[in-house]
Amino acid sequence: MQAEASTETVSLIIAKFDKTLHDRSAFSCGFAPIDNFLKSSLSDQVRDGMVTAWLATAEGDRAVLGFYTLGAMAVRANLGPKAWQRARVPDIPVIYIRAVAVHESLHGKGIGTALVIDAIKRCAAIAEQMGAAAVVLDVLKDKHFDRRWKFYADLGFLPLLDPDNPHRVYMSMADIRATLAHA
């Protein structure tokens, strides 16, 4: 997690999703499936226990500036580091960041970094309560893929080398704990 959040223009409030507190109506990250997920599916997925969501707003404003979601997942042990393979289990529990998105007018302002750092810290706390060997996410494949790939690499994410999903990256919980201990 080398990059630091600079949110130079906005004082962010990152809070657990609450329909009454978060106005999602004007949100657009520039990728329609993510925009539609936030506006149409998020409430149902939160209600059904599929994800938890954390939304960023500016202090005193309900408009959503960005968000991320977390869920449980398992990955095949043979895809990760050698320590996973030595565990002698077929699947490794991880925390999955399903989505990270920032309003397109705020791209490059540090909000994405602030959201990912918040998510990683939250994942470390979750991992203290239940087994989770890593944080995993999929880098969206579109015209901004190279920029996103670099963004996650700069934060310390590594390719999982999943032949079924070559855009999946991870950060081990051991690396997260070590980084947070030095922060």
Side-chain angles (χ1 to χ4, degrees), residues 147-159:
R147 184 184 73 198
R148 279 192 197 98
W149 188 266
K150 182 181 179 336
F151 170 77
Y152 289 113
D154 288 350
L155 287 170
F157 284 86
L158 302 168

Side-chain angles (χ1 to χ4, degrees), residues 80-162:
K82 296 289 182 210
W84 292 6
Q85 296 165 28
R86 287 191 303 267
R88 294 187 177 102
V89 294
D91 297 314
I92 301 296
V94 299
I95 300 171
Y96 182 58
I97 300 177
R98 177 169 176 189
V100 177
V102 174
H103 193 285
E104 62 189 332
S105 68
L106 298 169
H107 288 180
K109 305 285 188 199
I111 294 173
T113 301
L115 287 168
V116 173
I117 290 172
D118 189 79
I120 288 170
K121 287 178 179 178
R122 196 169 308 282
C123 290
I126 292 167
E128 292 296 321
Q129 303 298 314
M130 60 171 259
V135 174
V136 172
L137 63 87
D138 296 320
V139 181
L140 287 176
K141 180 73 170 158
D142 70 355
K143 66 183 179 181
H144 302 292
F145 174 78
D146 291 336
R147 184 184 73 198
R148 279 192 197 98
W149 188 266
K150 182 181 179 336
F151 170 77
Y152 289 113
D154 288 350
L155 287 170
F157 284 86
L158 302 168
L160 191 58
L161 304 176
D162 182 345

Side-chain angles (χ1 to χ4, degrees), residues 41-52:
S41 302
L42 180 63
S43 293
D44 292 339
Q45 289 201 16
V46 167
R47 181 195 66 227
D48 295 341
M50 304 303 285
V51 297
T52 57

